[in-house]
Short mmCIF file of all heavy atoms in Angstrom, two decimals:
data_model
loop_
_atom_site.label_atom_id
_atom_site.label_comp_id
_atom_site.label_asym_id
_atom_site.label_seq_id
_atom_site.Cartn_x
_atom_site.Cartn_y
_atom_site.Cartn_z
N MET A 292 51.28 -13.72 57.81
CA MET A 292 50.45 -12.94 56.92
C MET A 292 51.32 -12.34 55.82
O MET A 292 52.37 -11.78 56.07
CB MET A 292 49.76 -11.82 57.71
CG MET A 292 49.01 -10.87 56.85
SD MET A 292 48.04 -9.64 57.74
CE MET A 292 49.31 -8.58 58.39
N SER A 293 50.85 -12.44 54.61
CA SER A 293 51.57 -11.90 53.48
C SER A 293 51.10 -10.48 53.19
O SER A 293 49.91 -10.21 53.10
CB SER A 293 51.32 -12.78 52.26
OG SER A 293 51.89 -12.21 51.13
N LEU A 294 52.05 -9.56 53.05
CA LEU A 294 51.72 -8.17 52.75
C LEU A 294 51.76 -7.92 51.26
O LEU A 294 52.54 -8.54 50.54
CB LEU A 294 52.70 -7.23 53.45
CG LEU A 294 52.68 -7.24 54.97
CD1 LEU A 294 53.77 -6.33 55.51
CD2 LEU A 294 51.33 -6.79 55.49
N PRO A 295 50.93 -6.99 50.78
CA PRO A 295 50.98 -6.65 49.35
C PRO A 295 52.33 -6.04 49.00
O PRO A 295 53.02 -5.48 49.85
CB PRO A 295 49.86 -5.64 49.17
CG PRO A 295 49.34 -5.31 50.52
CD PRO A 295 49.94 -6.24 51.50
N SER A 296 52.69 -6.12 47.74
CA SER A 296 53.99 -5.60 47.31
C SER A 296 54.03 -4.07 47.32
O SER A 296 55.10 -3.49 47.41
CB SER A 296 54.34 -6.11 45.93
OG SER A 296 53.37 -5.69 44.99
N LYS A 297 52.89 -3.42 47.23
CA LYS A 297 52.83 -1.95 47.27
C LYS A 297 51.80 -1.52 48.31
O LYS A 297 50.70 -2.07 48.35
CB LYS A 297 52.46 -1.38 45.91
CG LYS A 297 53.51 -1.63 44.87
CD LYS A 297 53.17 -0.89 43.60
CE LYS A 297 54.25 -1.17 42.58
NZ LYS A 297 54.62 -0.02 41.82
N MET A 298 52.16 -0.55 49.11
CA MET A 298 51.26 -0.01 50.12
C MET A 298 50.54 1.20 49.56
O MET A 298 51.13 2.01 48.85
CB MET A 298 52.03 0.44 51.37
CG MET A 298 52.65 -0.68 52.15
SD MET A 298 51.34 -1.59 52.96
CE MET A 298 52.04 -3.22 52.84
N ARG A 299 49.28 1.35 49.91
CA ARG A 299 48.51 2.53 49.56
C ARG A 299 47.82 3.04 50.81
O ARG A 299 47.24 2.25 51.56
CB ARG A 299 47.45 2.23 48.50
CG ARG A 299 48.03 1.75 47.18
CD ARG A 299 48.78 2.88 46.49
NE ARG A 299 49.32 2.46 45.23
CZ ARG A 299 50.61 2.24 45.00
NH1 ARG A 299 51.48 2.36 45.97
NH2 ARG A 299 51.03 1.88 43.82
N VAL A 300 47.90 4.34 51.02
CA VAL A 300 47.21 4.98 52.14
C VAL A 300 46.28 6.02 51.54
O VAL A 300 46.73 7.02 50.99
CB VAL A 300 48.20 5.65 53.13
CG1 VAL A 300 47.44 6.38 54.22
CG2 VAL A 300 49.15 4.62 53.72
N ALA A 301 44.98 5.76 51.61
CA ALA A 301 43.99 6.69 51.10
C ALA A 301 43.19 7.27 52.26
O ALA A 301 42.84 6.55 53.19
CB ALA A 301 43.05 5.98 50.12
N VAL A 302 42.93 8.56 52.18
CA VAL A 302 42.22 9.25 53.25
C VAL A 302 40.94 9.84 52.67
O VAL A 302 40.95 10.46 51.62
CB VAL A 302 43.09 10.38 53.84
CG1 VAL A 302 42.34 11.12 54.94
CG2 VAL A 302 44.40 9.82 54.37
N THR A 303 39.85 9.65 53.39
CA THR A 303 38.58 10.25 53.00
C THR A 303 37.92 10.86 54.23
O THR A 303 38.15 10.39 55.34
CB THR A 303 37.64 9.21 52.33
OG1 THR A 303 36.46 9.87 51.87
CG2 THR A 303 37.28 8.10 53.28
N GLY A 304 37.17 11.91 54.03
CA GLY A 304 36.46 12.54 55.12
C GLY A 304 37.23 13.65 55.82
O GLY A 304 36.68 14.35 56.66
N ALA A 305 38.49 13.82 55.51
CA ALA A 305 39.30 14.85 56.17
C ALA A 305 39.45 16.10 55.31
O ALA A 305 39.60 17.19 55.84
CB ALA A 305 40.68 14.30 56.52
N GLY A 306 39.41 15.93 54.01
CA GLY A 306 39.59 17.04 53.09
C GLY A 306 38.43 17.10 52.11
O GLY A 306 37.43 16.39 52.27
N PRO A 307 38.56 17.91 51.07
CA PRO A 307 37.47 18.06 50.12
C PRO A 307 37.24 16.84 49.23
O PRO A 307 36.23 16.74 48.56
CB PRO A 307 37.90 19.27 49.27
CG PRO A 307 39.37 19.32 49.41
CD PRO A 307 39.69 18.80 50.78
N GLY A 308 38.18 15.91 49.24
CA GLY A 308 38.04 14.68 48.46
C GLY A 308 39.01 13.63 48.98
O GLY A 308 39.73 13.86 49.95
N VAL A 309 39.01 12.50 48.34
CA VAL A 309 39.93 11.43 48.72
C VAL A 309 41.34 11.81 48.27
O VAL A 309 41.53 12.35 47.20
CB VAL A 309 39.51 10.10 48.05
CG1 VAL A 309 40.50 8.99 48.39
CG2 VAL A 309 38.11 9.72 48.47
N PHE A 310 42.33 11.53 49.14
CA PHE A 310 43.72 11.78 48.77
C PHE A 310 44.61 10.71 49.37
O PHE A 310 44.21 10.01 50.30
CB PHE A 310 44.18 13.18 49.22
CG PHE A 310 44.18 13.40 50.71
CD1 PHE A 310 45.33 13.20 51.46
CD2 PHE A 310 43.03 13.84 51.36
CE1 PHE A 310 45.33 13.41 52.83
CE2 PHE A 310 43.01 14.06 52.72
CZ PHE A 310 44.17 13.85 53.47
N ARG A 311 45.78 10.55 48.80
CA ARG A 311 46.76 9.58 49.29
C ARG A 311 47.86 10.30 50.04
O ARG A 311 48.07 11.50 49.86
CB ARG A 311 47.34 8.78 48.13
CG ARG A 311 46.29 7.82 47.57
CD ARG A 311 46.73 7.00 46.41
NE ARG A 311 48.08 6.50 46.48
CZ ARG A 311 48.76 6.08 45.43
NH1 ARG A 311 48.23 6.10 44.24
NH2 ARG A 311 49.98 5.64 45.57
N VAL A 312 48.57 9.54 50.88
CA VAL A 312 49.70 10.08 51.66
C VAL A 312 50.94 9.28 51.29
O VAL A 312 51.24 8.25 51.90
CB VAL A 312 49.42 10.00 53.18
CG1 VAL A 312 50.53 10.69 53.96
CG2 VAL A 312 48.06 10.60 53.53
N PRO A 313 51.68 9.74 50.26
CA PRO A 313 52.84 8.99 49.76
C PRO A 313 53.91 8.74 50.82
O PRO A 313 54.57 7.70 50.80
CB PRO A 313 53.39 9.86 48.64
CG PRO A 313 52.29 10.79 48.27
CD PRO A 313 51.42 10.94 49.48
N GLU A 314 54.09 9.67 51.75
CA GLU A 314 55.10 9.49 52.80
C GLU A 314 54.76 8.28 53.66
O GLU A 314 55.64 7.50 54.05
CB GLU A 314 55.21 10.74 53.68
CG GLU A 314 55.66 11.97 52.95
CD GLU A 314 54.50 12.74 52.30
OE1 GLU A 314 53.33 12.30 52.37
OE2 GLU A 314 54.78 13.79 51.70
N MET A 315 53.48 8.12 53.98
CA MET A 315 53.06 6.95 54.77
C MET A 315 53.18 5.68 53.96
O MET A 315 53.58 4.63 54.49
CB MET A 315 51.63 7.14 55.27
CG MET A 315 51.50 8.16 56.36
SD MET A 315 49.82 8.20 57.01
CE MET A 315 49.99 9.50 58.22
N GLU A 316 52.86 5.74 52.69
CA GLU A 316 52.98 4.56 51.83
C GLU A 316 54.42 4.07 51.81
O GLU A 316 54.68 2.87 51.96
CB GLU A 316 52.50 4.89 50.42
CG GLU A 316 51.02 5.19 50.35
CD GLU A 316 50.54 5.66 49.00
OE1 GLU A 316 51.38 5.94 48.11
OE2 GLU A 316 49.32 5.75 48.82
N ALA A 317 55.35 4.99 51.64
CA ALA A 317 56.77 4.61 51.60
C ALA A 317 57.24 4.05 52.94
O ALA A 317 57.96 3.05 52.99
CB ALA A 317 57.62 5.81 51.21
N ALA A 318 56.82 4.69 54.01
CA ALA A 318 57.22 4.22 55.35
C ALA A 318 56.68 2.83 55.63
O ALA A 318 57.40 1.97 56.15
CB ALA A 318 56.75 5.21 56.41
N LEU A 319 55.43 2.58 55.27
CA LEU A 319 54.83 1.27 55.53
C LEU A 319 55.38 0.19 54.62
O LEU A 319 55.44 -0.98 55.00
CB LEU A 319 53.32 1.35 55.40
CG LEU A 319 52.63 2.14 56.51
CD1 LEU A 319 51.15 2.35 56.17
CD2 LEU A 319 52.78 1.46 57.85
N ALA A 320 55.81 0.55 53.42
CA ALA A 320 56.43 -0.42 52.52
C ALA A 320 57.75 -0.92 53.11
O ALA A 320 58.12 -2.07 52.94
CB ALA A 320 56.66 0.18 51.15
N GLY A 321 58.42 -0.05 53.85
CA GLY A 321 59.69 -0.42 54.47
C GLY A 321 59.52 -1.18 55.77
O GLY A 321 60.30 -2.07 56.10
N SER A 322 58.47 -0.82 56.53
CA SER A 322 58.22 -1.46 57.82
C SER A 322 56.75 -1.33 58.15
O SER A 322 56.28 -0.24 58.49
CB SER A 322 59.06 -0.79 58.92
OG SER A 322 58.71 -1.29 60.19
N PHE A 323 56.01 -2.41 58.04
CA PHE A 323 54.58 -2.38 58.31
C PHE A 323 54.33 -2.44 59.82
O PHE A 323 53.92 -3.46 60.36
CB PHE A 323 53.86 -3.51 57.57
CG PHE A 323 52.38 -3.31 57.50
CD1 PHE A 323 51.85 -2.40 56.61
CD2 PHE A 323 51.52 -4.02 58.32
CE1 PHE A 323 50.47 -2.21 56.53
CE2 PHE A 323 50.15 -3.83 58.25
CZ PHE A 323 49.63 -2.93 57.36
N GLN A 324 54.65 -1.34 60.47
CA GLN A 324 54.49 -1.21 61.93
C GLN A 324 53.87 0.16 62.21
O GLN A 324 54.17 1.13 61.49
CB GLN A 324 55.86 -1.28 62.62
CG GLN A 324 56.61 -2.57 62.44
CD GLN A 324 55.96 -3.70 63.21
OE1 GLN A 324 55.44 -3.50 64.31
NE2 GLN A 324 55.97 -4.89 62.63
N PRO A 325 53.06 0.30 63.25
CA PRO A 325 52.49 1.60 63.59
C PRO A 325 53.54 2.69 63.76
O PRO A 325 53.33 3.84 63.38
CB PRO A 325 51.73 1.35 64.90
CG PRO A 325 51.42 -0.11 64.86
CD PRO A 325 52.58 -0.75 64.14
N ARG A 326 54.68 2.33 64.31
CA ARG A 326 55.73 3.34 64.54
C ARG A 326 56.29 3.91 63.23
O ARG A 326 56.87 4.98 63.22
CB ARG A 326 56.84 2.75 65.39
CG ARG A 326 57.65 1.67 64.72
CD ARG A 326 58.79 1.17 65.60
NE ARG A 326 59.50 0.11 64.95
CZ ARG A 326 59.29 -1.18 65.16
NH1 ARG A 326 58.39 -1.56 66.04
NH2 ARG A 326 59.98 -2.09 64.51
N ALA A 327 56.10 3.19 62.12
CA ALA A 327 56.61 3.67 60.83
C ALA A 327 55.92 4.96 60.40
O ALA A 327 56.52 5.79 59.72
CB ALA A 327 56.45 2.60 59.76
N VAL A 328 54.66 5.14 60.79
CA VAL A 328 53.93 6.35 60.39
C VAL A 328 53.74 7.34 61.53
O VAL A 328 53.22 8.43 61.33
CB VAL A 328 52.55 6.00 59.78
CG1 VAL A 328 52.71 5.22 58.49
CG2 VAL A 328 51.69 5.25 60.77
N ALA A 329 54.17 6.97 62.73
CA ALA A 329 53.90 7.78 63.92
C ALA A 329 54.41 9.21 63.83
O ALA A 329 53.78 10.13 64.36
CB ALA A 329 54.47 7.09 65.15
N SER A 330 55.52 9.43 63.18
CA SER A 330 56.10 10.78 63.14
C SER A 330 55.76 11.55 61.86
O SER A 330 56.21 12.68 61.69
CB SER A 330 57.62 10.69 63.30
OG SER A 330 58.18 10.01 62.19
N ILE A 331 54.96 10.96 61.00
CA ILE A 331 54.60 11.62 59.74
C ILE A 331 53.46 12.60 59.99
O ILE A 331 52.40 12.23 60.49
CB ILE A 331 54.23 10.60 58.66
CG1 ILE A 331 55.45 9.73 58.35
CG2 ILE A 331 53.72 11.30 57.40
CD1 ILE A 331 55.18 8.59 57.40
N LYS A 332 53.70 13.84 59.66
CA LYS A 332 52.70 14.90 59.83
C LYS A 332 52.06 15.20 58.48
O LYS A 332 52.75 15.36 57.48
CB LYS A 332 53.34 16.18 60.38
CG LYS A 332 54.14 15.99 61.64
CD LYS A 332 53.26 15.60 62.79
CE LYS A 332 54.08 15.49 64.06
NZ LYS A 332 53.62 14.48 64.97
N VAL A 333 50.75 15.30 58.46
CA VAL A 333 50.00 15.62 57.26
C VAL A 333 49.68 17.11 57.28
O VAL A 333 49.28 17.65 58.31
CB VAL A 333 48.71 14.77 57.18
CG1 VAL A 333 47.88 15.14 55.98
CG2 VAL A 333 49.06 13.28 57.15
N ASP A 334 49.87 17.77 56.15
CA ASP A 334 49.60 19.21 56.05
C ASP A 334 48.12 19.48 56.23
O ASP A 334 47.27 18.83 55.62
CB ASP A 334 50.08 19.71 54.70
CG ASP A 334 50.00 21.22 54.56
OD1 ASP A 334 49.77 21.92 55.57
OD2 ASP A 334 50.19 21.70 53.44
N SER A 335 47.80 20.45 57.05
CA SER A 335 46.40 20.79 57.33
C SER A 335 45.83 21.82 56.36
O SER A 335 44.65 22.17 56.45
CB SER A 335 46.26 21.30 58.76
OG SER A 335 46.97 22.51 58.92
N ALA A 336 46.63 22.30 55.42
CA ALA A 336 46.20 23.39 54.54
C ALA A 336 44.92 23.09 53.76
O ALA A 336 44.10 23.98 53.56
CB ALA A 336 47.33 23.74 53.57
N ASN A 337 44.72 21.86 53.33
CA ASN A 337 43.54 21.54 52.52
C ASN A 337 42.51 20.70 53.26
O ASN A 337 41.66 20.07 52.63
CB ASN A 337 43.98 20.81 51.25
CG ASN A 337 44.77 21.70 50.33
OD1 ASN A 337 44.43 22.87 50.15
ND2 ASN A 337 45.84 21.18 49.77
N MET A 338 42.59 20.69 54.58
CA MET A 338 41.63 19.90 55.35
C MET A 338 40.32 20.66 55.56
O MET A 338 40.30 21.89 55.55
CB MET A 338 42.21 19.56 56.73
CG MET A 338 43.43 18.69 56.68
SD MET A 338 43.00 17.05 56.09
CE MET A 338 44.62 16.35 55.90
N ASN A 339 39.25 19.90 55.74
CA ASN A 339 37.95 20.50 56.03
C ASN A 339 37.96 21.13 57.42
O ASN A 339 38.74 20.74 58.29
CB ASN A 339 36.86 19.43 56.00
CG ASN A 339 36.62 18.87 54.63
OD1 ASN A 339 36.92 19.50 53.63
ND2 ASN A 339 36.08 17.67 54.57
N SER A 340 37.06 22.04 57.63
CA SER A 340 36.86 22.66 58.93
C SER A 340 35.37 22.86 59.14
O SER A 340 34.66 23.34 58.25
CB SER A 340 37.58 24.01 59.00
OG SER A 340 37.36 24.61 60.26
N ASP A 341 34.87 22.42 60.30
CA ASP A 341 33.47 22.63 60.63
C ASP A 341 33.32 22.64 62.15
O ASP A 341 34.32 22.71 62.87
CB ASP A 341 32.58 21.57 59.97
CG ASP A 341 32.94 20.14 60.35
OD1 ASP A 341 33.50 19.92 61.44
OD2 ASP A 341 32.64 19.23 59.56
N ILE A 342 32.09 22.54 62.64
CA ILE A 342 31.87 22.60 64.09
C ILE A 342 32.43 21.39 64.83
O ILE A 342 32.60 21.43 66.03
CB ILE A 342 30.38 22.77 64.43
CG1 ILE A 342 29.57 21.55 63.95
CG2 ILE A 342 29.84 24.07 63.86
CD1 ILE A 342 28.15 21.52 64.43
N HIS A 343 32.75 20.33 64.09
CA HIS A 343 33.24 19.11 64.72
C HIS A 343 34.75 19.06 64.87
O HIS A 343 35.26 18.46 65.81
CB HIS A 343 32.76 17.89 63.94
CG HIS A 343 31.28 17.82 63.82
ND1 HIS A 343 30.45 17.57 64.89
CD2 HIS A 343 30.47 18.02 62.74
CE1 HIS A 343 29.19 17.59 64.49
NE2 HIS A 343 29.17 17.86 63.20
N ALA A 344 35.47 19.68 63.93
CA ALA A 344 36.94 19.63 63.99
C ALA A 344 37.55 20.69 63.10
O ALA A 344 37.04 20.97 62.01
CB ALA A 344 37.43 18.25 63.56
N ASP A 345 38.66 21.24 63.56
CA ASP A 345 39.39 22.21 62.74
C ASP A 345 40.40 21.46 61.86
O ASP A 345 40.62 20.26 62.04
CB ASP A 345 40.07 23.28 63.60
CG ASP A 345 41.12 22.74 64.56
OD1 ASP A 345 41.63 21.62 64.35
OD2 ASP A 345 41.46 23.45 65.51
N PRO A 346 40.99 22.14 60.88
CA PRO A 346 41.91 21.46 59.95
C PRO A 346 43.11 20.79 60.63
O PRO A 346 43.52 19.70 60.22
CB PRO A 346 42.37 22.58 59.02
CG PRO A 346 41.31 23.62 59.10
CD PRO A 346 40.77 23.53 60.50
N GLU A 347 43.66 21.41 61.65
CA GLU A 347 44.82 20.84 62.34
C GLU A 347 44.47 19.51 63.02
O GLU A 347 45.24 18.55 62.99
CB GLU A 347 45.39 21.82 63.35
CG GLU A 347 46.02 23.05 62.73
CD GLU A 347 45.01 24.09 62.24
OE1 GLU A 347 43.83 24.07 62.70
OE2 GLU A 347 45.39 24.91 61.40
N TYR A 348 43.29 19.47 63.63
CA TYR A 348 42.86 18.25 64.29
C TYR A 348 42.63 17.14 63.27
O TYR A 348 43.04 15.99 63.49
CB TYR A 348 41.58 18.51 65.10
CG TYR A 348 41.10 17.30 65.86
CD1 TYR A 348 41.81 16.81 66.94
CD2 TYR A 348 39.92 16.66 65.50
CE1 TYR A 348 41.36 15.70 67.65
CE2 TYR A 348 39.46 15.56 66.20
CZ TYR A 348 40.19 15.08 67.27
OH TYR A 348 39.75 13.99 67.96
N ARG A 349 42.01 17.47 62.16
CA ARG A 349 41.78 16.46 61.11
C ARG A 349 43.10 15.92 60.56
O ARG A 349 43.24 14.72 60.33
CB ARG A 349 40.92 17.03 59.99
CG ARG A 349 39.49 17.25 60.42
CD ARG A 349 38.67 17.88 59.31
NE ARG A 349 37.40 18.36 59.81
CZ ARG A 349 36.29 17.64 59.85
NH1 ARG A 349 36.28 16.40 59.43
NH2 ARG A 349 35.18 18.17 60.33
N ALA A 350 44.07 16.80 60.35
CA ALA A 350 45.38 16.36 59.87
C ALA A 350 46.03 15.42 60.88
O ALA A 350 46.62 14.40 60.51
CB ALA A 350 46.27 17.57 59.61
N HIS A 351 45.92 15.76 62.16
CA HIS A 351 46.46 14.90 63.22
C HIS A 351 45.77 13.53 63.21
O HIS A 351 46.43 12.49 63.37
CB HIS A 351 46.27 15.59 64.58
CG HIS A 351 46.55 14.72 65.74
ND1 HIS A 351 47.83 14.34 66.10
CD2 HIS A 351 45.72 14.13 66.63
CE1 HIS A 351 47.77 13.56 67.17
NE2 HIS A 351 46.51 13.42 67.50
N LEU A 352 44.47 13.52 62.99
CA LEU A 352 43.73 12.25 62.99
C LEU A 352 44.15 11.32 61.85
O LEU A 352 44.03 10.11 61.98
CB LEU A 352 42.23 12.50 62.91
CG LEU A 352 41.56 12.90 64.20
CD1 LEU A 352 40.05 13.09 63.97
CD2 LEU A 352 41.78 11.87 65.29
N VAL A 353 44.62 11.86 60.76
CA VAL A 353 45.09 11.01 59.65
C VAL A 353 46.20 10.10 60.16
O VAL A 353 46.20 8.89 59.92
CB VAL A 353 45.56 11.86 58.45
CG1 VAL A 353 46.23 10.98 57.40
CG2 VAL A 353 44.39 12.61 57.85
N THR A 354 47.14 10.66 60.91
CA THR A 354 48.24 9.86 61.45
C THR A 354 47.74 8.88 62.51
O THR A 354 48.11 7.71 62.52
CB THR A 354 49.34 10.77 62.03
OG1 THR A 354 49.82 11.61 60.99
CG2 THR A 354 50.49 9.95 62.59
N VAL A 355 46.87 9.36 63.39
CA VAL A 355 46.31 8.50 64.44
C VAL A 355 45.59 7.30 63.82
O VAL A 355 45.80 6.15 64.24
CB VAL A 355 45.36 9.30 65.36
CG1 VAL A 355 44.59 8.38 66.30
CG2 VAL A 355 46.12 10.35 66.14
N MET A 356 44.76 7.56 62.84
CA MET A 356 43.99 6.48 62.23
C MET A 356 44.87 5.54 61.39
O MET A 356 44.60 4.34 61.32
CB MET A 356 42.84 7.05 61.39
CG MET A 356 41.83 7.84 62.22
SD MET A 356 41.20 6.95 63.67
CE MET A 356 40.25 5.66 62.91
N ALA A 357 45.91 6.06 60.78
CA ALA A 357 46.83 5.20 60.05
C ALA A 357 47.52 4.23 61.01
O ALA A 357 47.64 3.04 60.72
CB ALA A 357 47.87 6.04 59.31
N LYS A 358 47.96 4.73 62.17
CA LYS A 358 48.57 3.85 63.17
C LYS A 358 47.57 2.80 63.64
O LYS A 358 47.93 1.62 63.78
CB LYS A 358 49.07 4.67 64.36
CG LYS A 358 50.28 5.51 64.03
CD LYS A 358 50.85 6.33 65.16
CE LYS A 358 50.09 6.40 66.43
NZ LYS A 358 50.64 7.32 67.42
N LYS A 359 46.34 3.19 63.88
CA LYS A 359 45.32 2.23 64.33
C LYS A 359 45.04 1.19 63.25
O LYS A 359 44.85 0.02 63.54
CB LYS A 359 44.03 2.95 64.69
CG LYS A 359 44.06 3.62 66.02
CD LYS A 359 42.68 4.20 66.34
CE LYS A 359 42.69 4.72 67.75
NZ LYS A 359 41.51 4.31 68.48
N GLY A 360 44.99 1.65 62.00
CA GLY A 360 44.74 0.71 60.90
C GLY A 360 45.81 -0.35 60.79
O GLY A 360 45.51 -1.52 60.59
N VAL A 361 47.05 0.06 60.94
CA VAL A 361 48.16 -0.89 60.88
C VAL A 361 48.10 -1.82 62.09
O VAL A 361 48.26 -3.04 61.95
CB VAL A 361 49.52 -0.16 60.80
CG1 VAL A 361 50.67 -1.13 60.93
CG2 VAL A 361 49.62 0.63 59.51
N SER A 362 47.83 -1.26 63.25
CA SER A 362 47.76 -2.08 64.48
C SER A 362 46.68 -3.15 64.38
O SER A 362 46.85 -4.26 64.87
CB SER A 362 47.48 -1.19 65.69
OG SER A 362 48.55 -0.34 65.95
N SER A 363 45.55 -2.81 63.77
CA SER A 363 44.42 -3.74 63.72
C SER A 363 44.68 -4.93 62.80
O SER A 363 43.97 -5.92 62.86
CB SER A 363 43.15 -3.01 63.29
OG SER A 363 43.22 -2.64 61.95
N THR A 364 45.68 -4.82 61.94
CA THR A 364 45.97 -5.93 61.02
C THR A 364 47.04 -6.87 61.58
O THR A 364 47.36 -7.87 60.96
CB THR A 364 46.44 -5.42 59.65
OG1 THR A 364 47.65 -4.71 59.80
CG2 THR A 364 45.38 -4.55 59.00
N MET A 365 47.58 -6.52 62.71
CA MET A 365 48.67 -7.31 63.27
C MET A 365 48.14 -8.38 64.20
O MET A 365 47.15 -8.37 64.75
CB MET A 365 49.64 -6.41 64.01
CG MET A 365 50.23 -5.38 63.06
SD MET A 365 51.34 -4.25 63.86
CE MET A 365 52.82 -5.23 63.73
#
């Protein structure tokens, strides 16, 4: 499988709008493996909060879902 020359990680549904995670993009450009993003923590300061999830949980899910997304393409 051929990978694109530039990686983009866009997140929607976790914050007030769509945003990118440059740290994950750089890590995946170097190694397109789930472990490349496993230790990257996303700041919860601008995450949504409601009865379903608090900001810290949503920030955690960004990393979880990024790992799953990479795994599903392998």
Side-chain angles (χ1 to χ4, degrees):
M292 173 174 72
S293 174
L294 295 176
S296 60
K297 294 187 180 221
M298 292 289 145
R299 298 291 181 253
V300 177
V302 179
T303 185
V309 178
F310 63 94
R311 289 179 40 199
V312 186
E314 298 87 357
M315 288 186 181
E316 294 174 350
L319 290 171
S322 173
F323 196 76
Q324 298 289 324
R326 68 178 177 263
V328 296
S330 65
I331 297 174
K332 307 293 183 213
V333 176
D334 187 10
S335 65
N337 293 319
M338 296 292 172
N339 292 337
S340 179
D341 58 26
I342 63 170
H343 302 291
D345 62 19
E347 292 77 20
Y348 182 69
R349 290 177 193 270
H351 170 72
L352 281 181
V353 171
T354 301
V355 170
M356 298 308 292
K358 289 181 352 186
K359 282 185 173 226
V361 172
S362 293
S363 70
T364 62
M365 299 178 87

